[in-house]
Structures are given as structure tokens and as C-alpha cells.
Amino acid sequence: MSRSDPPLQIRLLGPLGVIVAGRPVVVDTRKALAIVALVAAEGRPFARDELAAMFWPEADDEAARGALRRTLSALRTAVDGTGIHIERTLVTIDPVVPVDLVTLQRLAASPDRADLEAAAAIARGPFLTGFTVRDSPAFDDWQAAWATRVERMVGQLLDDLAAARTADGDLLGAIEAGRRRVALDPLDEGGQRRLIERLARSGDRAAAIAQYRALVGLFDHELGVSPLGETTELYDAIREGSLDPGSPVPVIVPTTTPRARPAPVPGRLDGPLAVPLVGREADLVTLLEAWRVATPDGRVAILEGEAGIGKTRLAETVVAAVKARGGRVLTARGYPGESAIAYVPIAEVLRAGLSLPGGAARLAALDEIARGEIGRLVDLPLSSRSAGRPAPDGAGARVRLLDAIARAITALATGPVPGLVWIDDLHLLDGSSREAAAYLARRLTGRSFMLLLAWRREDLPADGLAVADELVRIDGAPVVALGRFDRTAVARLIGAVRPAAMADGSLDALVDALLEDSEGLPLYVVEALGPDGSPGSAIPRGFQAMLRQRIASVGETAGQVLAAAAVIGRSFDLATVRQASGRTEEEAIGALEELMHRGIVRETEGSIGRPIRYDFSHGRMREVAYASISLARRRLLHQRTAAALRLDLGRFGRDDISRFALIGAHEREAGRPAEAAHAYREAADRAEAMYASREAIEQLVAVLALGASDPAAVHVRIGELRSRLGEYPAAVSALETAAALADSDGLPAIEVALGRVHRRRGDLATAASHLASALASPGLTEAWRARSLVERSLVALRVGDLELAASAADEATLVAARLGDVHTTGVAERLTGLVAQARGDGSAARESLERSLAIAVDDPDPTAAIAASIGLAITLAAEGSVDDAIATAMSAVEACQRIGDRHLEAAVENHLADICHHAGREDDAMFHLKRAVTLFAEVGEGGPEPDPGVWALAAW
């Protein structure tokens, strides 16, 4: 210890250090040092009770105080009374004790550069690096909060120091501070951008470009995004050499925007939803007319439809109308799980009648035998009971019971106006109750009421189907089969429930959302409009419960096939679902028949040459079925589905893009990322071969999301496809990401690709910069040298430097000849022809362009033939062969359309307009000019000038 050193020092930046007489304090408990850190950082006294509660939260008060006493005793011995005061109630640290954090706070707030330099020297590392204590969550939270504060403080300090050094002309010092700042928080784009700027201003352009590419790679890996526009603009300025030293780069100011709470849904009801009857007016008229004429002879009416279609809602409206007209109404319904209990719904109907005024008296008027039979089903009032009951197994016992039920219901329902007996969910009734309902329906002569029976045909058991078929054949019985809502009905329902949507203009959007989600099922619409639902969100609870009930009703084999179908998707075929489920063909067919009978799936017609397909009756049905599968089985089924798709059991035919994309999706869900990535690559290859660029990009993005082994190559492909679509900013972003991820051997090819994109968008200075970087690369291969020279020649030709264009084309020809690269030779030949054309040598131009076009016939790159064709067309037009020129140019247009390159098509149309104009064909010229302008409007966004790349409109 030197004489100038204080007796006690506390270091909170970096590893915790409590130094006494020049030596670290050694204690047998880390909590003693944690107490020192806490008191030193906060700069205030701490009460013993406060410390005990923080460091021993699980102990009772006495035990915590005892543990604290032992800890403080050990600390007192270790520091030997130098600056740490452990008193009876408080623990304090002498203010004169040097604490590096306190010194950092003071110096970092100073505007003086010397103080900032001293503060930067003190910032040895993060707050309490590597220090932890056990069983003290409160201390952990405190430490984490301080670590964040210190990181922000040091970040601001380094920003201030870099600015001060820059102001003093010390760019190298500013760069050093900037590197520390970036190392502290690599994702701080503002700090990264300032470092890139200072590197460029120091003259180290290569380091600035490397830093930008490192940033691109980091953001792609960590965040999946590209840098902001300001950062990209700075990079472009550096590449072009146009960075203005006097213009500061904008600084990103971090802001925290509170997340907005979702806006309340207009018309959302907090209580039970009162739903008016819409879309069923004609059906209501049919049923009420049948009721009106149900006297003196009764009528039977049938109401059928799938679950959630609105049968109950319509029947309730009929009930309300009958009651309003003075009719007596008896209702009952079937319930799941009660189909084995005889006569439960019939007893419910009888009790409903008994509860009506005068009900008991009407039953008392029946004869003793009838009362005796009814007494077997319900408890009758004393005045209505029979003195004796026939033996239930006597002769005609069953007929007596059915007749007694019919007579009792008639007595209870008949009144001044026709009555109504409504039995809902007949498919859930026991066989005896269905038999009683059918017995009554066949004997309505002289009975003044309507019997309304509702069911889901798909859920009727075999004996129930026979009864239903008999009932619908009863003469004069109206059968109301409800269908799904159309858009008009959905809109009317929403408008009735949420009138605010009519006023605020949100109705159309709400209708579209609900129509898509519900697929026209009224129950879904109602649930989504209620307090527990919203359009586009999770399945409404009531609707979900209905679907789960339906799914739970299937047998074991059908359940296995259903699980496989849910994994395959909304639509599926027999062969694929059989392979995925592992069932035999006979078992799979039987299971599908059961699923169709229960209304879970439906059969759709297959197209010619394609197998019959099946579809879930509702998309949400598939979601609920899928959610019910365990994770392990789900993964197995996805893997089996992928295997079935590889065999092409569904006979996709030539639609391999969709098939391999589906394989990729299933392999991903099966937890097999390598196999998924391979399938997505296959899909991308096929899409690109068919010039389906957008589809190819989608598949390549999926490959990246799965962790591609060669992400740089994938980004290059995406960049080239974006360029073909004319999406130049996105193309540049993808290629810059590739450059950030590529090794030195792969970088020249990316520089060439970047040069090509910038040339096409008209940014010739940046294009030349990238090509110069490629040609200067030490590991440049001969093949890429030839391609770089071709691009250099094109750029030089665009800027009018015919000498450079000619020399680069000649050198490219020589290199390609040495390599035996015929196609690159053909491209160089085209450039030689274009140079000759620019010099006015039509004969030489025509010879070179014809040779180039002949070579391009089998070039894998179709743009080579397009470019040669339009060059030749311009030459032919200049020679007066206008018809030949137009024919040649039109073949180029057709080729552009085949490959989907809209920018090239715009350029060719533009040249066609120019050719026609100079030939005096003004109508044709205007036609092609309008086509060119329309096409360019689709791809022109992002170009630095209105005259980019191949868009070379002549002035006329």
C-alpha cells in the first residue's frame, strides 16, 4: 500500500472489490460483501431490519436478525473499522471512502473532456460483474436495476467522449470510444452508425464498409430486420464517396412508447347478448303458417340443420309468437349422456304442461287408465292420480303408454288457439322418446296443436334416421332445413346487434372478418359479437365447446383418422390420410363415412385425374381437432404426412411447388428443421425454374427461418429474385445481408450482384463502386473477373465512357475465352455490339449482336437473349428494317413476360415506343409508351432517379 492510497476502496464496476490497505477483503460469506455494495451504491445508511429482510427473506424475524449479526461481525473484523460503520441499528459507509461508481457518476456529468476521459478509464466493466448471492431475490432485482442504469450511463459517457474527441479533431480517439460503445450494446444502431461515419471520415473506407456489413449480419441474426434507412443512406454515401464531412449523421434517440390498449369494439355488449332473428324470416313464416292451420287437426313440422345453424333460435321465436297469441306451449329437449334413460324428454313435456294454469285439472279429466300410465312418468297431483295402474308387462302395455302420452300432451296443449309442442335435439333422445314422438306425429287428427321436432340429421343414430325419414314423409309436414348465412344475413345480424358499426363505417370490415371466420354459421357470429368473443381472435368459447362435443362423439378409429386429417390440413384425400393415420384402406373409408355422417367432414368432387377430396365442415372444426392432439402424436403425424406427400399419394401432378412447400411445413412441425429446409429449397428451385419469383422468395425466407447452413447464398438468391421483380431496395437489403454473412471467397460474387442491381436502378456511381471492390478482391476467380468486367462495361456504356466500355468488354471476352465460358463470351459480344452501335458503326453492331443472340439461345440466364434481342432491334431500326426490329423486340417482350421481369419488360416496351416513334408510327408508339409507363410505375419505387438502369427513354 502506497502512502497516497486510501485505507478503504470500494469497486463496483467490473468484479466487486473491497480493498483494505491495498489488499482485497476476504470474508466467509458473500452477503457481507453484498451489504457493502448495497450501502456504497445507494450512498445512504441502511437499517439492520431492512438488511435482514432483504438478505434472509425466508427466515423469521429472529433468525434473520441473528444471521445478520453474524455476517456484520465477520465484516467488522475483515475491514478493521476503516470507513464502514456498523452500529446498533444502522450500517453506513464514510462519505470520504472512494467508490468508483460514485466517481463515475460525478465525472460523467461533466462537460469537460478531461473528466470524460477519467470517467471512461474508471468504467472497467458492468456493474458487479459475476457477483451473485443466494436466496435473496430482492438483492438480485436491485443488482439488475443498477446494472441497467450503469450500462446506460457508460453508453452516454462513451457517446459524449467520442463527440468531444471528434470536436477536438481526434478521430482515432473517437473511433476507439465508438468501438467501446458498440461493444457495450451492439444492437444500438445509432452508436453503430456514428462509428461507421467516423471510420469513413478518418479515411478508412474499407473498415466503415466492414462495420456496416457486420451490423447487417448482426441485425439479421438477432432481430431478423435490416438497418434503418438513415444507416443505409450513410453506407451508400460512403461507397459513392459523397459523404459530406460537414453534415452530421442523425442520431437515434431511444424512446419507449407505451403499448396502446386495444380500442373497445363498437357495440360490444357486457351482458347477455340479445340477438334478433335475421335471415330466417321466410322460415319463420312457414312454421307459423303451419301452426295457424293446426286446428282442428294438428300438424307436425320438422326443423333440421347442422350444429350452430340457428334451429333453437328460430324455434324460440316461434314459441314467443305462439305465446303472444295465447297458445299453450310445451317444450323439452334432449341432452348428451341421457340417451339411455327412457322417456326423460317426454316427462319434461308433461311437467311443462302441468306447470301451466289448469294443467293438473286437464290431466284429471283423463280416464283412470291414462292417468295410471302417465303416473309412471311424472308425479301427478293427488286429484289426478289413478287408484290402480295396469301391470307394465301386461297385454298391450306399450301401446297403452304411448296412447296415454299422446292423450296427456293433447289435453295439456289444446286451448282456444292451437298449442305448440316443441322437442329440440331429437337426435339426443332415447329410442323410447323418439318412438313416442313419432306415435304422436302420426295421430294428430283432432288434436289442435303443432308438434315441432328439431334435429341434426348427421347425429341421428341408425334407428333415429329411420324415424326421421318416416316423419318427413308425413303428408303436409313442412320441413325447414336451415342453411348457412350469406354476406347479407351476416351484415344484418351485425347491424342489429352492433348498430354503432353502421354509424362509424366499420360494418364492411366487420362483416368480412366474421364471414370469413364463421363460414356462415350463425352461432359463431353471435358468439364473436358477445362479450367473450371478437372477430379474428380465438374461437369463441361457446362455439368451441360445441365443436369439442362433436369431435368427442366419434369412435376410436375415426378419431385416429380425424387426427391425421387435422394435421394434413383443411382439405385432404383418402390415400394421404390413410398413410398418415396408419389405418388400412377399409378402416380409413369406414372412419371417413362416420365423420361425414356426424357432419365433421364432407366429401367434395375431385377434378379430372385427381382423387376425391374431403374437407372439414368448418375450418374451426379442424383447429379444435388439431388442438386436441398431444404434442408427441402431432409431431409423428406431421412426419408421416410429409412422407405421404413425398410419395405424391394425393397426385399433385406438376404442382411440385405446393407439394414441397407442404412437405417443408410438415417437417418443420415435426421438429425436423434440416428436412424442412431441404423441402423448402426444393420448392424454391421449382418456383424459380417456373419464374414464380415471389413464391421462390417465400420458400427461401422459410429456409432462413429454419437456420440455413449457408445463409449468405440464400440471401443472394433472394436479392436476385427481388431484382427480377423490380423491388430494388429489398434486393439491395438482401444482398447487403449476404455480404455481411459471406466469407472473403464469396464476397466478390455478391459485389457483382450488388453492382448489377444498382445499375438496373440507375445508381451508376454505387454500381461502379461495387464492381471496383469486386475487381480489387485478392481472391477473385477468373470466372467472376469476366462477369465483373461485363458489368463494368455496361456501367461505362451507360455513362458514355465508350473507351472503358470497349476495353472492359474486350478483356471480358479474353478471360471468357480462356475459361471456355461460351455464355459469358456471348454477353461480352453483346457489349461489343452496343459499343459499336453507340459509335455509329451499324454493320459491326449488327454482326456482334446477332452472334450474341445466337449464343444466348441456350443460356440458362434468359435475360441474355432479351438484352441481345432489344439491342439488335434498335440496330435494325436504325438501318430502316422497322418491321424486323419490331418483331425482334416483341419476342423480347414475350420472353420478359415468361420470366416475370417487369423492369426489363418496361425497358423493352420503352424501346419499342422509341422505334415506332422514329418510324412515324405514332399510335403504336403511344401504345407501347403507355405500357412502359404502367410497368415502370410498378417497379420504379426506390430508384434514385426517374431514369434508372435499363429504363432509357429517348427524348421525343
Side-chain angles (χ1 to χ4, degrees):
M1 174 179 176
S2 69
R3 292 184 179 180
S4 61
D5 287 339
L8 174 64
Q9 302 175 60
I10 300 174
R11 297 174 182 171
L12 304 179
L13 303 174
L16 174 60
V18 181
I19 313 299
V20 174
R23 295 184 179 180
V25 166
V26 178
V27 268
D28 60 359
T29 170
R30 293 173 68 85
K31 289 187 178 180
L33 297 178
I35 290 171
V36 175
L38 175 68
V39 179
E42 294 295 329
R44 68 173 178 85
F46 272 75
R48 283 188 177 232
D49 287 347
E50 194 176 0
L51 295 173
M54 174 177 281
F55 288 100
W56 291 274
E58 300 298 327
D60 58 47
D61 292 347
E62 189 60 35
R65 284 193 290 268
L68 176 62
R69 281 195 302 272
R70 291 188 292 274
T71 300
L72 293 179
S73 175
L75 178 61
R76 182 186 291 111
T77 301
V79 300
D80 195 22
T82 54
I84 298 179
H85 305 294
I86 302 172
E87 302 170 1
R88 187 168 179 270
T89 59
L90 297 175
V91 176
T92 61
I93 294 178
D94 197 316
V96 301
V97 172
V99 180
D100 59 355
L101 176 60
V102 176
T103 305
L104 176 69
Q105 289 174 300
R106 176 176 55 82
L107 294 174
S110 171
D112 185 71
R113 177 180 172 182
D115 288 341
L116 298 177
E117 296 281 5
I122 292 172
R124 299 174 300 128
F127 182 73
L128 298 184
T129 305
F131 184 80
T132 58
V133 296
R134 295 173 57 188
D135 307 323
S136 180
F139 180 81
D140 293 342
D141 293 343
W142 173 86
Q143 181 179 345
W146 261 102
T148 301
R149 289 171 59 187
V150 169
E151 181 178 317
R152 291 175 179 169
M153 184 195 313
V154 174
Q156 186 60 55
L157 163 67
L158 294 172
D159 281 340
D160 294 343
L161 179 59
R165 288 174 175 175
T166 300
D168 291 344
D170 182 9
L171 272 181
L172 293 180
I175 289 170
E176 185 272 335
R179 289 194 187 280
R180 285 185 63 184
R181 176 70 175 89
V182 167
L184 184 69
D185 183 6
L187 296 177
D188 174 31
E189 189 168 351
Q192 290 268 17
R193 187 164 60 248
R194 291 187 290 274
L195 175 58
I196 293 168
E197 178 203 14
R198 288 173 180 131
L199 286 167
R201 288 183 175 178
S202 71
D204 196 347
R205 177 173 171 275
I209 291 174
Q211 187 68 35
Y212 172 80
R213 286 182 171 166
L215 168 66
V216 172
L218 176 70
F219 273 32
D220 179 71
H221 182 266
E222 296 292 334
L223 306 177
V225 300
S226 300
L228 294 173
E230 301 97 303
T231 309
T232 304
E233 289 169 9
L234 171 64
Y235 166 71
D236 291 340
I238 292 170
R239 291 208 65 99
E240 297 166 9
S242 60
L243 178 65
D244 181 3
S247 61
V249 179
V251 177
I252 295 175
V253 179
T255 58
T256 302
T257 304
R259 182 171 297 179
R261 295 182 62 184
V265 180
R268 170 58 57 81
L269 304 179
D270 295 328
L273 190 64
V275 183
L277 184 76
V278 298
R280 306 298 190 200
E281 291 83 359
D283 300 315
L284 177 62
V285 169
T286 298
L287 294 177
L288 288 178
E289 179 62 21
W291 167 78
R292 188 183 65 81
V293 300
T295 185
D297 298 329
R299 301 285 296 275
V300 62
I302 309 300
L303 182 55
E304 65 177 16
E306 63 182 306
I309 202 66
K311 300 183 299 296
T312 301
R313 182 68 189 87
L314 175 58
E316 288 172 345
T317 305
V318 174
V319 166
V322 171
K323 285 183 177 180
R325 291 165 173 80
R328 294 171 183 163
V329 177
L330 314 180
T331 65
R333 63 171 301 178
Y335 291 93
E338 294 185 0
S339 60
I341 307 175
Y343 295 113
V344 170
I346 299 301
E348 187 179 347
V349 169
L350 295 172
R351 291 191 189 97
L354 281 168
S355 67
L356 295 176
R362 284 191 289 277
L363 279 188
L366 297 177
D367 61 48
E368 186 176 346
I369 294 177
R371 294 198 309 273
E373 294 294 333
I374 296 303
R376 295 164 54 188
L377 300 179
V378 296
D379 291 329
L380 297 176
L382 290 175
S383 61
S384 303
R385 293 179 183 176
S386 169
R389 297 176 181 176
D393 54 352
R398 189 169 189 82
V399 174
R400 283 197 306 270
L401 177 59
L402 294 176
D403 185 64
I405 291 171
R407 292 171 61 193
I409 291 175
T410 301
L412 293 169
T414 300
V417 298
L420 173 67
V421 179
W422 168 36
I423 301 178
D424 198 11
D425 290 338
L426 191 81
H427 52 279
L428 296 175
L429 266 59
D430 60 282
S432 298
S433 294
R434 279 195 296 269
E435 183 184 17
Y439 181 92
L440 178 60
R442 291 190 294 267
R443 293 166 175 82
L444 287 175
T445 302
R447 304 177 190 270
S448 182
F449 65 87
M450 182 175 78
L451 177 61
L452 176 60
L453 302 173
W455 62 64
R456 298 200 298 258
R457 178 169 288 274
E458 64 270 16
D459 285 338
L460 283 165
D463 64 321
L465 277 172
V467 171
D469 290 340
E470 180 185 353
L471 290 171
V472 298
R473 287 195 298 269
I474 293 177
D475 187 38
V479 178
V480 176
L482 299 183
R484 296 189 180 188
F485 274 6
D486 58 13
R487 193 179 194 284
T488 301
V490 171
R492 289 181 58 204
L493 180 55
I494 296 172
V497 174
R498 290 191 185 171
M502 303 286 288
D504 64 14
S506 63
L507 180 62
D508 285 344
L510 193 56
V511 171
D512 290 339
L514 276 177
L515 185 61
E516 180 179 357
D517 285 349
S518 70
E519 299 185 20
L521 272 177
L523 175 63
Y524 189 103
V525 179
V526 171
E527 290 282 341
L529 290 172
D532 296 322
S534 62
S537 64
I539 308 173
R541 286 184 293 183
F543 188 73
Q544 189 176 53
M546 182 198 75
L547 298 184
R548 284 176 176 165
Q549 178 184 342
R550 179 72 62 83
I551 290 169
S553 68
V554 305
E556 183 178 1
T557 302
Q560 294 174 2
V561 172
L562 176 62
V567 165
I568 293 169
R570 176 72 189 264
S571 176
F572 56 94
D573 62 89
L574 172 62
T576 305
V577 78
R578 186 190 68 77
Q579 181 80 9
S581 65
R583 312 306 304 188
T584 65
E585 184 171 2
E586 184 176 352
E587 289 172 330
I589 291 174
L592 287 171
E593 288 175 344
E594 179 181 344
L595 295 173
M596 285 190 292
H597 172 68
R598 295 194 176 276
I600 296 174
V601 301
R602 57 194 174 201
E603 190 176 76
T604 62
E605 293 184 6
S607 58
I608 298 175
R610 296 284 298 275
I612 294 173
R613 298 193 66 81
Y614 300 86
D615 187 13
F616 280 88
S617 60
H618 194 285
R620 297 296 199 176
M621 181 81 76
R622 185 244 169 187
E623 292 181 30
V624 173
Y626 186 83
S628 68
I629 309 170
S630 68
L631 178 60
R633 180 157 183 79
R634 197 182 296 170
R635 287 186 170 181
L636 174 63
L637 288 172
H638 276 296
Q639 185 176 339
R640 292 177 66 93
T641 300
L645 288 169
R646 284 194 175 89
L647 296 173
D648 197 13
L649 298 176
R651 299 208 294 275
F652 273 73
R654 301 183 62 82
D655 190 10
D656 279 339
I657 300 175
S658 298
R659 184 162 66 94
F660 278 99
L662 286 172
I663 291 171
H666 285 295
E667 291 287 20
R668 181 186 60 212
E669 295 300 323
R672 291 155 48 98
E675 290 81 358
H678 180 75
Y680 280 127
R681 283 182 188 271
E682 291 276 358
D685 291 343
R686 283 159 173 76
E688 189 171 357
M690 296 172 63
Y691 305 110
S693 299
R694 292 201 185 281
E695 289 76 5
I697 290 170
E698 289 179 8
Q699 311 312 325
L700 293 171
V701 168
V703 173
L704 289 173
L706 289 163
S709 58
D710 54 345
V714 178
H715 279 293
V716 168
R717 286 186 65 184
I718 291 174
E720 291 173 341
L721 290 166
R722 294 281 189 201
S723 177
R724 179 179 292 175
L725 292 170
E727 299 171 355
Y728 295 121
V732 170
S733 177
L735 291 170
E736 288 292 0
T737 301
L741 301 175
D743 55 24
S744 56
D745 292 339
L747 199 54
I750 299 172
E751 295 283 12
V752 174
L754 279 164
R756 184 183 305 115
V757 173
H758 283 294
R759 169 180 59 79
R760 284 184 60 133
R761 70 193 297 228
D763 191 350
L764 302 179
T766 302
S769 173
H770 282 290
L771 295 172
S773 296
L775 289 166
S777 300
L780 185 66
T781 64
E782 285 289 273
W784 279 108
R785 178 176 297 280
R787 297 178 196 179
S788 302
L789 288 166
V790 164
E791 285 296 326
R792 171 182 272 185
S793 178
L794 278 167
V795 172
L797 188 63
R798 284 289 314 282
V799 299
D801 189 346
L802 299 184
E803 293 301 324
L804 178 57
S807 63
D810 291 343
E811 187 177 352
T813 301
L814 291 173
V815 175
R818 286 200 302 270
L819 294 172
D821 186 345
V822 176
H823 294 130
T824 301
T825 301
V827 175
E829 189 74 57
R830 183 180 84 239
L831 289 167
T832 299
L834 293 176
V835 171
Q837 185 185 90
R839 287 173 170 167
D841 189 348
S843 177
R846 180 171 182 170
E847 290 178 4
S848 293
L849 289 167
E850 286 177 341
R851 285 196 296 271
S852 174
L853 184 57
I855 294 172
V857 169
D858 61 349
D859 194 325
D861 180 4
T863 63
I866 294 170
S869 294
I870 192 58
L872 181 58
I874 293 171
T875 300
L876 290 170
E879 293 178 348
S881 303
V882 176
D883 291 338
D884 290 342
I886 292 175
T888 303
M890 286 303 300
S891 69
V893 170
E894 293 168 0
C896 291
Q897 292 170 346
R898 281 197 301 274
I899 68 174
D901 195 322
R902 294 176 297 167
H903 200 166
L904 266 181
E905 186 181 352
V908 176
E909 289 282 8
N910 169 69
H911 287 300
L912 262 169
D914 204 15
I915 291 169
C916 291
H917 171 69
H918 288 297
R921 303 181 183 182
E922 297 302 336
D923 289 344
D924 292 340
M926 189 54 62
F927 171 79
H928 291 295
L929 181 60
K930 288 180 179 179
R931 285 278 302 143
V933 170
T934 300
L935 286 164
F936 180 67
E938 299 176 8
V939 300
E941 183 180 357
E945 303 173 10
D947 178 19
V950 292
W951 181 265
L953 182 62
W956 47 272

